[in-house]
Amino acid sequence: MFQFLKQSSQGRSAWLLMALTALILESIALYFQHIMQLQPCVMCIYERVALFGILIAALLGAIAPKTPLRWLAVLLWVYSAWQGLRLAWDHTMMQLYPSPFNTCEFFVSFPSWLPLNNWLPTVFEAYGDCSMKQWEFLTLDMPQWLIGIFAAYLLIAVLVLVSQIVRGKK
């Protein structure tokens, strides 16, 4: 299995497939926001940024999969998936156990050198309330689905990372 994962990570098709899945998920988020008129909250925007991190990692890996750039892509993938999972978990806890002490910020806060909400407000500006459930499918709301999505990305990323280190049979 590790040999397969290592070989896959050294080709472009696996990286492009990952980019496609992240792009589809980002498109779904924008559909919910602009077509279904669901208002994204601060946590939604941060989860969206984590998904963009996975998309960027996939594009980095696709650029030069047989070079050390692949390592940077895998590390960015692991980091983004971990942060996305952590954010989705916190968001789910805010929705399942609402409390005046467990709330999200009113406005997104990006670093001054990367003000995404100023550059592209239609994608990165938050208007909703983190504790409000706006959408549900098969009894799970959006952050609960994102826990599963980010957990899958993280599991595969860790396996790919381990495959880079483990030596195959000769």
Side-chain angles (χ1 to χ4, degrees):
M1 174 181 76
F2 288 123
Q3 190 63 28
F4 171 76
L5 290 173
K6 187 171 185 174
Q7 286 175 343
S8 295
S9 73
Q10 293 176 351
R12 282 191 173 86
S13 58
W15 290 106
L16 292 174
L17 177 62
M18 185 171 83
L20 179 66
T21 63
L23 191 61
I24 287 170
L25 290 169
E26 290 290 355
S27 300
I28 290 169
L30 292 173
Y31 174 82
F32 283 146
Q33 179 180 349
H34 296 290
I35 305 299
M36 293 179 63
Q37 299 296 311
L38 301 181
Q39 298 298 315
C41 67
V42 171
M43 295 297 281
C44 296
I45 297 300
Y46 292 156
E47 291 157 358
R48 190 177 289 181
V49 171
L51 198 52
F52 269 114
I54 292 171
L55 176 62
I56 291 167
L59 295 175
L60 274 176
I63 289 171
K66 294 186 182 201
T67 68
L69 191 59
R70 179 180 78 247
W71 280 92
L72 179 63
V74 172
L75 292 175
L76 179 60
W77 178 12
V78 169
Y79 177 77
S80 297
W82 170 254
Q83 289 301 317
L85 180 59
R86 184 186 60 76
L87 289 163
W89 178 264
D90 290 345
H91 192 180
T92 297
M93 292 301 110
M94 282 180 204
Q95 288 188 349
L96 291 178
Y97 307 106
S99 161
F101 305 107
N102 188 20
T103 61
C104 63
E105 304 164 357
F106 291 113
F107 303 103
V108 291
S109 68
F110 292 112
S112 61
W113 53 270
L114 190 67
L116 295 174
N117 57 324
N118 294 336
W119 293 346
L120 202 55
T122 58
V123 177
F124 295 110
E125 194 60 55
Y127 305 104
D129 178 11
C130 292
S131 62
M132 190 171 83
K133 295 180 183 182
Q134 299 183 62
W135 177 85
E136 189 176 284
F137 180 67
L138 298 176
T139 72
L140 298 175
D141 57 16
M142 208 168 302
Q144 291 171 327
W145 279 103
L146 286 175
I147 287 174
I149 290 167
F150 282 119
Y153 274 127
L154 182 61
L155 175 65
I156 296 167
V158 168
L159 290 174
V160 169
L161 180 62
V162 170
S163 77
Q164 305 303 303
I165 301 166
V166 173
R167 295 207 171 173
K169 297 176 186 175
K170 291 187 178 184

